[in-house]
Amino acid sequence: MSVSPSASPAVSSAVVAPTQADLFDFVRRTAADTELIASLPLDPEGRTWVRLEGPGGSEAWLIGWPPGTGTGWHDHADSVGAFLTASGELKENSLAARLPTDGWKTLELTEDVDRERRLPSGEGRAFGRHHVHEVLNESPDRHAISVHAYYPPLPQIRRYSRSGSILRLEQVERPEDWQ
């Protein structure tokens, strides 16, 4: 029996979504590209960024952090992600708690949810959906540079304020707000 070419099985062109491990591998390899890291223009007062081509349709960024800057509390909604410090040192404060995704404006956090992580050059982390954190460059005199990747590309970022144990949803940003 012979099979004609038109009867052969279809070749799937489906893209496999990158995992947290894939994203972390990407940010690690990208942060090791010293020429790319050195090419980022740094501003003495505000963060700078360049969009990168991430793996498997992910969204990626190279970000420069002047001394004393940070993101404020936020999450990346339904995206998983990874980031790694390429130069300098960053600090991540995060919450070890799963927050409701919708329908709230104010939450009282329990006392055991806070996590702090120092990320010197070459160190980073991957995280899951709805990971609430803030990233800071606490250096008084040195820029930091980091590489970030998210999948799916960021549908939104929710920004929070925090006063003691009270976390308050302040704003929801969409891609058109930061691109």
Side-chain angles (χ1 to χ4, degrees):
M1 175 177 170
S2 66
V3 177
S4 69
S6 62
S8 63
V11 175
S12 174
S13 61
V15 175
V16 176
T19 65
Q20 290 177 41
D22 295 332
L23 296 175
F24 189 77
D25 184 57
F26 169 80
V27 298
R28 184 187 48 73
R29 285 183 289 107
T30 303
D33 182 342
T34 55
E35 189 175 315
L36 175 66
I37 300 309
S39 74
L40 180 67
L42 300 176
D43 183 296
E45 296 179 19
R47 286 190 298 153
T48 54
W49 55 88
V50 172
R51 189 163 187 168
L52 304 172
E53 190 69 33
S58 65
E59 181 172 346
W61 299 89
L62 179 62
I63 301 177
W65 306 76
T69 60
T71 60
W73 287 96
H74 67 283
D75 72 17
H76 304 100
D78 289 323
S79 296
V80 298
F83 72 101
L84 188 131
T85 305
S87 74
E89 180 177 278
L90 293 172
K91 175 184 170 187
E92 180 196 37
N93 294 319
S94 63
L95 300 178
R98 177 95 176 171
L99 302 182
T101 56
D102 293 308
W104 66 276
K105 286 286 195 183
T106 303
L107 289 175
E108 185 168 357
L109 303 170
T110 61
E111 62 185 58
D112 61 346
V113 298
D114 288 298
R115 301 294 182 267
E116 179 181 304
R117 185 181 307 232
R118 296 235 172 243
L119 301 167
S121 182
E123 292 194 25
R125 68 160 310 171
F127 54 86
R129 290 168 168 68
H130 310 290
H131 175 69
V132 178
H133 69 165
E134 67 175 346
V135 180
L136 309 159
N137 176 6
E138 294 185 323
S139 171
D141 56 6
R142 185 168 180 217
H143 270 79
I145 298 175
S146 57
V147 181
H148 303 246
Y150 310 98
Y151 189 85
L154 296 172
Q156 65 184 13
I157 293 177
R158 290 182 289 242
R159 299 220 174 257
Y160 306 98
S161 63
R162 180 150 182 211
S163 178
S165 65
I166 303 299
L167 186 70
R168 187 169 283 113
L169 176 63
E170 297 291 346
Q171 180 180 9
V172 177
E173 295 177 2
R174 308 240 179 260
E176 56 271 16
D177 297 328
W178 65 80
Q179 297 196 23

